[in-house]
């Protein structure tokens, strides 16, 4: 298994290209199940999760083709991939596949909408918490589906097709909002969804579905209105930039000091995280093509944050921000409200010399003046990258193992940081 070795101490200076968003790419790929026509996605990141979902969709009959190499092809630029679900050959998503990636459960929406039936394995727990699927089941029932749980599978049927309705989410869920949007797009009549997630990835999926012929309004607000249509067509859609990758590198620069421009992204995607970074002592500037992040000289100041659905502080940047706070000149509190077990990085950061105590949902981080390198490992994607951020300032070598977590969501991480001056290398074994 690959490991990443970092020798801490260098500032970061230069330019980092930001990839297409993983968490937009996955639902966009799943949307290809809604039509027998070709959905072309541009700016698709090279990530293990994307490859895994290609395999999962293939099981339902989705063919894919990657556009060939072009003149002046930049290996770092996102790929263009064409997805075609001409015929759905299987409406079952088996446990072996769904258990590898939770988001693959979301195929239940398009399968039910197009084929009027789906049998999808329950995804099970994961490292960051229990993550139930009750909101998906309630929402799809509101659209007229009958749903039973049978031998670990959610068995859903909508004889005669789904029917539009009003549904109020009791809790905000990104995945369940994606699924309801996809399902309601092919339902009969109008669906109104209240308390919908407002993440930029929701807006991106709505834009793509509308380009396919759906009639969705209100994306980005808590109320979505979806006028069902008979059929959807193909479309061409460019995946929006990854705001979590943007925030992660912004935090890395705030940690090491230096001056880095994050290319191909936008400050508008992550206002709350960037404002926390500014309070912590970084200078952030919107440029015509990206975001410039600087910290020269001044220290890192403690900032309290509470994770919340968008536009709040993202849970997917909580671990990275905690890494930054380990070097603040005071005491910071981080409250995690989305997932009950998303503090797995705490004990690993402690191995590097961080002083963090946990009480329920709240982590108290007492800043220290130095971190020291050590072997570390993490159990999820964002936790792993928080260890890389800490390693960038730790004295000596930090060896991060279980790099496959990083590869799920960060494209060419070591190359991007290395190009800005970090001493970082992948050790393949
Ligand atoms: C999405 O997961 C993201 N995944 C996660 O990113 C992200 O952390 C999360 O949204 C929150 O922003 C993708 O987009 C692929 P939720 P999702 O449903 O949709 C509870 C990463 O690192 N809930 O918004 O699964 C749930 O347990 C990943 O890239 C129910 O109770 O998250 C959680 O407490 C990890 N019942 C809360 O809602 C349900 O039926 C929010 O989860 C569904 C969810």
């Amino acid at each position: 298994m690959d490991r990443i070795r970092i020798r801490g101490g260098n500032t970061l200076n230069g330019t980092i290209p930001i990839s297409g968003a993983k968490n937009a790419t996955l639902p966009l790929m799943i949307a290809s199940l809604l039509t027998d026509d070709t959905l072309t996605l541009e700016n698709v990141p090279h990530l293990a999760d994307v490859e895994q979902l290609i395999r999962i969709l293939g099981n339902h009959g989705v063919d894919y083709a990657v556009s060939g190499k072009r003149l002046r092809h930049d290996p770092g630029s996102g790929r263009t991939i064409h997805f075609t679900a001409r015929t759905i050959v299987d409406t079952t998503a088996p446990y072996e596949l769904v258990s590898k990636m939770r988001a693959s459960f979301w195929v239940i929406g398009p399968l039910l909408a197009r084929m009027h039936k789906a049998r999808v394995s329950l995804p099970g727990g994961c490292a960051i918490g229990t993550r139930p699927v009750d909101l998906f089941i309630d929402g799809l029932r509101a659209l007229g589906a009958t749903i039973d749980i049978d031998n670990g599978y959610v068995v859903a049927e909508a004889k005669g097709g789904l029917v539009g309705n009003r549904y109020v989410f009791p809790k905000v869920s990104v995945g369940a909002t994606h699924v309801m949007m996809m399902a309601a797009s092919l339902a009969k009549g109008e669906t109104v969804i209240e308390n919908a997630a407002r993440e930029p990835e929701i807006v991106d999926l709505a834009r793509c579905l509308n380009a396919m012929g759906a009639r969705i309004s209100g994306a980005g607000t808590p109320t979505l209105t979806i006028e069902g249509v008979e059929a959807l067509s193909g479309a061409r859609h460019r995946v929006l930039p990854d705001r979590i990758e943007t925030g992660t590198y912004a935090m890395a620069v705030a940690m090491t000091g230096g001056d880095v421009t994050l290319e191909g992204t936008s400050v508008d995607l992550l206002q709350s995280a960037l404002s926390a970074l500014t309070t912590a002592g970084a200078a952030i500037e919107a440029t015509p093509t990206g975001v410039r992040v600087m910290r020269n000289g001044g220290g890192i100041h403690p900032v309290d944050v509470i994770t919340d659905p968008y536009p709040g502080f993202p849970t997917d940047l909580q671990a990275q921000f905690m890494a930054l706070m380990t070097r603040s000149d005071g005491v910071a509190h981080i409250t995690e409200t989305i997932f009950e077990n998303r503090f797995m990085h705490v004990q690993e950061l402690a191995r590097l010399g961080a002083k963090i105590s946990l009480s329920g949902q709240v982590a108290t981080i007492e800043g220290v003046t130095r971190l020291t390198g050590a072997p570390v490992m993490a159990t999820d994607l964002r936790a792993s990258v928080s260890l890389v951020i800490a390693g960038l300032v730790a004295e000596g070598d930090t060896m991060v193992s279980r790099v496959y977590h990083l590869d799920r969501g960060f494209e060419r991480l070591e190359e991007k940081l290395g190009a800005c001056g970090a001493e970082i290398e992948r050790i393949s074994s």
Side-chain angles (χ1 to χ4, degrees):
M1 268 188 288
D2 290 3
R3 291 171 297 161
I4 283 187
R5 179 165 60 207
I6 306 149
R7 175 152 300 168
N10 295 359
T11 59
L12 294 173
N13 294 283
T15 300
I16 296 181
I18 296 300
S19 301
K22 168 181 85 85
N23 287 349
T25 304
L26 302 180
L28 288 165
M29 288 168 66
I30 289 172
S32 69
L33 287 167
L34 286 164
T35 173
D36 60 6
D37 210 344
T38 299
L39 175 64
T40 298
L41 299 178
E42 297 173 1
N43 200 28
V44 175
H46 291 255
L47 295 171
D49 270 10
V50 170
E51 304 310 315
Q52 179 68 29
L53 186 57
I54 284 176
R55 281 191 286 277
I56 291 170
L57 292 176
N59 180 60
H60 298 295
V62 179
D63 289 324
Y64 78 102
V66 182
S67 282
K69 203 169 166 177
R70 295 282 179 271
L71 274 182
R72 299 202 347 241
H73 178 78
D74 168 8
S77 67
R79 292 171 298 171
T80 295
I81 309 188
H82 313 272
F83 296 93
T84 312
R86 188 82 60 220
T87 310
I88 303 287
V89 296
D90 197 341
T91 53
T92 295
Y95 177 71
E96 305 74 67
L97 296 178
V98 179
S99 59
K100 291 207 174 92
M101 188 198 304
R102 186 182 155 85
S104 61
F105 180 79
W106 302 350
V107 299
I108 193 167
L111 288 178
L112 195 50
R114 180 169 160 190
M115 304 303 291
H116 304 172
K117 60 177 188 168
R119 187 168 166 270
V120 181
S121 168
L122 286 162
C126 75
I128 61 178
T130 49
R131 303 179 81 182
V133 293
D134 53 320
L135 302 176
F136 296 80
I137 292 177
D138 289 354
L140 292 171
R141 276 189 179 140
L143 299 185
T146 55
I147 300 189
D148 293 308
I149 309 291
D150 179 34
N151 289 323
Y153 279 76
V154 178
V155 183
E157 202 173 356
K159 286 204 178 85
L162 293 168
V163 182
N165 197 352
R166 179 170 176 270
Y167 181 70
V168 184
F169 275 116
K171 179 177 186 175
V172 178
S173 162
V174 173
T177 303
H178 282 313
V179 163
M180 287 295 279
M181 267 199 306
M182 290 191 271
S185 291
L186 287 182
K188 286 191 197 74
E190 184 184 86
T191 298
V192 176
I193 301 169
E194 309 270 10
N195 200 25
R198 289 182 276 166
E199 271 66 5
E201 294 75 21
I202 298 285
V203 179
D204 207 38
L205 177 64
R207 275 182 44 230
C208 178
L209 291 172
N210 284 343
M212 293 164 73
R215 295 169 65 188
I216 303 172
S217 59
T221 77
T223 306
L224 291 169
T225 305
I226 302 153
E227 196 63 55
V229 295
E230 285 268 310
L232 294 173
S233 61
R236 192 175 185 96
H237 177 83
R238 185 172 174 81
V239 179
L240 93 169
D242 196 315
R243 66 194 164 95
I244 304 303
E245 189 192 26
T246 305
T248 299
Y249 289 125
M251 286 172 196
V253 180
M255 183 70 147
T256 62
D259 183 346
V260 172
T261 299
L262 307 171
E263 277 295 326
T265 184
S266 163
V267 290
D268 299 336
L269 294 170
L270 70 168
Q271 293 285 359
S272 65
L274 294 181
S275 98
L277 271 182
T278 309
T279 315
I284 315 270
E285 218 176 81
T287 72
T289 53
V291 179
R292 184 172 170 202
V293 186
M294 294 157 281
R295 188 173 69 79
N296 292 309
I300 299 168
H301 312 306
V303 184
D304 292 349
V305 299
I306 300 175
T307 63
D308 240 338
Y310 194 85
F313 189 96
T315 174
D316 290 347
L317 286 173
Q318 180 258 106
Q320 300 89 316
F321 198 71
M322 190 180 298
L324 178 65
M325 289 297 104
T326 64
R327 287 291 305 271
S328 88
D329 48 22
V331 178
H333 302 92
I334 297 184
T335 308
E336 172 58 57
T337 70
I338 310 287
F339 293 111
E340 76 270 24
N341 192 24
R342 212 173 194 184
F343 280 138
M344 308 293 278
H345 40 286
V346 167
Q347 61 199 30
E348 298 302 296
L349 287 169
R351 292 175 53 73
L352 301 175
K355 282 195 183 162
I356 305 170
S357 59
L358 283 181
S359 171
Q361 294 176 288
V362 183
T364 302
I365 306 112
E366 200 182 314
V368 294
T369 51
R370 65 191 275 261
L371 296 175
T372 47
V376 285
M377 65 166 79
T379 44
D380 85 84
L381 164 61
R382 313 301 176 187
S384 312
V385 85
S386 77
L387 302 174
V388 172
I389 292 178
L392 290 172
V393 297
E395 287 167 20
D397 283 1
T398 296
M399 184 74 86
V400 182
S401 50
R402 299 200 181 163
V403 168
Y404 55 86
H405 287 301
L406 282 173
D407 293 337
R408 287 190 41 219
F410 289 95
E411 184 176 1
R412 300 181 302 115
L413 172 101
E414 66 278 15
E415 267 177 56
K416 291 187 183 187
L417 287 171
C420 288
E423 215 177 312
I424 179 167
E425 63 172 339
R426 178 181 289 253
I427 300 168
S428 299
S429 52

